[in-house]
């Protein structure tokens, strides 16, 4: 049974969909602050559809269009996340919030342990916001 298009992907599923090894995704997270998958207990990564679109965009820009890491960062700085996402999803099939402020989809309220799951999601969102803020602050310094 195939996953829903809105389902989260594990790192192995995301790597397969993007067409790169898992270690490349981990490396890209260190170089591109806009790549912020949800991290659960134990550091396990879960990629939202928007994350996969950005990963596809980075792969295309680096591997097909020949940009450098600095070139992709400059493109992101100049054009923003929404424009960068276009390279990974030219048809615009994934609804994309450029700032990542939309809450991630959650399990139905009847699910056991929902409050701890939601707290982890909020924590991951706050960590992502903090990382983006640190990038902005480092640019202005």
């Amino acid at each position: 049974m195939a996953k829903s298009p809105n389902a989260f992907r594990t790192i192995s599923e995301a790597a397969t969909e993007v067409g790169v090894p898992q270690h490349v995704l981990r490396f890209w997270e260190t170089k591109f602050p806009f790549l912020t998958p949800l991290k659960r207990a134990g550091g396990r990564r879960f990629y939202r559809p928007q994350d996969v679109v950005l990963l596809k965009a980075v792969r295309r820009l680096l591997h097909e269009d020949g940009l450098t890491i600095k070139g992709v960062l400059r493109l992101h700085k100049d054009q923003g996340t929404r424009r960068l996402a276009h390279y990974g999803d030219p048809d615009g099939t994934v609804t994309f919030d450029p700032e990542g402020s939309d809450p991630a989809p959650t399990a139905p309220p009847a699910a056991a342990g929902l409050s701890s799951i939601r707290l982890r999601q909020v924590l991951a969102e706050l960590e992502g916001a903090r990382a983006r803020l640190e990038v902005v602050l480092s640019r202005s310094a």
Side-chain angles (χ1 to χ4, degrees):
M1 180 176 190
K3 280 192 171 184
S4 160
N6 295 327
F8 285 28
R9 305 283 191 256
T10 63
I11 192 167
S12 62
E13 292 168 332
T16 300
E17 193 169 332
V18 173
V20 296
Q22 295 175 27
H23 71 273
V24 172
L25 299 186
R26 290 187 206 97
F27 173 74
W28 286 350
E29 287 175 34
T30 66
K31 298 298 180 185
F32 303 110
F34 53 86
L35 296 177
T36 55
L38 186 66
K39 290 188 182 176
R40 299 287 171 114
R44 221 166 150 211
R45 292 165 171 82
F46 289 93
Y47 295 85
R48 297 171 289 261
Q50 296 86 347
D51 297 325
V52 175
V53 166
L54 287 174
L55 290 168
K56 287 179 179 180
V58 169
R59 183 193 50 77
R60 176 182 169 189
L61 291 167
L62 292 174
H63 294 236
E64 295 174 21
D65 295 350
L67 266 67
T68 62
I69 290 174
K70 285 185 180 183
V72 174
L73 289 169
R74 188 172 299 118
L75 182 69
H76 177 258
K77 179 182 175 187
D78 294 344
Q79 297 185 7
T81 306
R82 183 181 297 266
R83 180 68 182 125
L84 188 71
H86 175 73
Y87 292 97
D89 183 24
D91 300 330
T93 56
V94 173
T95 304
F96 202 88
D97 175 26
E99 300 304 318
S101 61
D102 280 348
T106 60
L114 179 64
S115 60
S116 66
I117 291 171
R118 183 64 187 136
L119 287 174
R120 286 188 205 118
Q121 289 174 335
V122 169
L123 178 60
E125 291 169 11
L126 288 171
E127 289 172 343
R130 179 180 180 185
R132 290 189 297 273
L133 180 60
E134 287 175 356
V135 168
V136 170
L137 292 174
S138 69
R139 288 181 190 155
S140 64

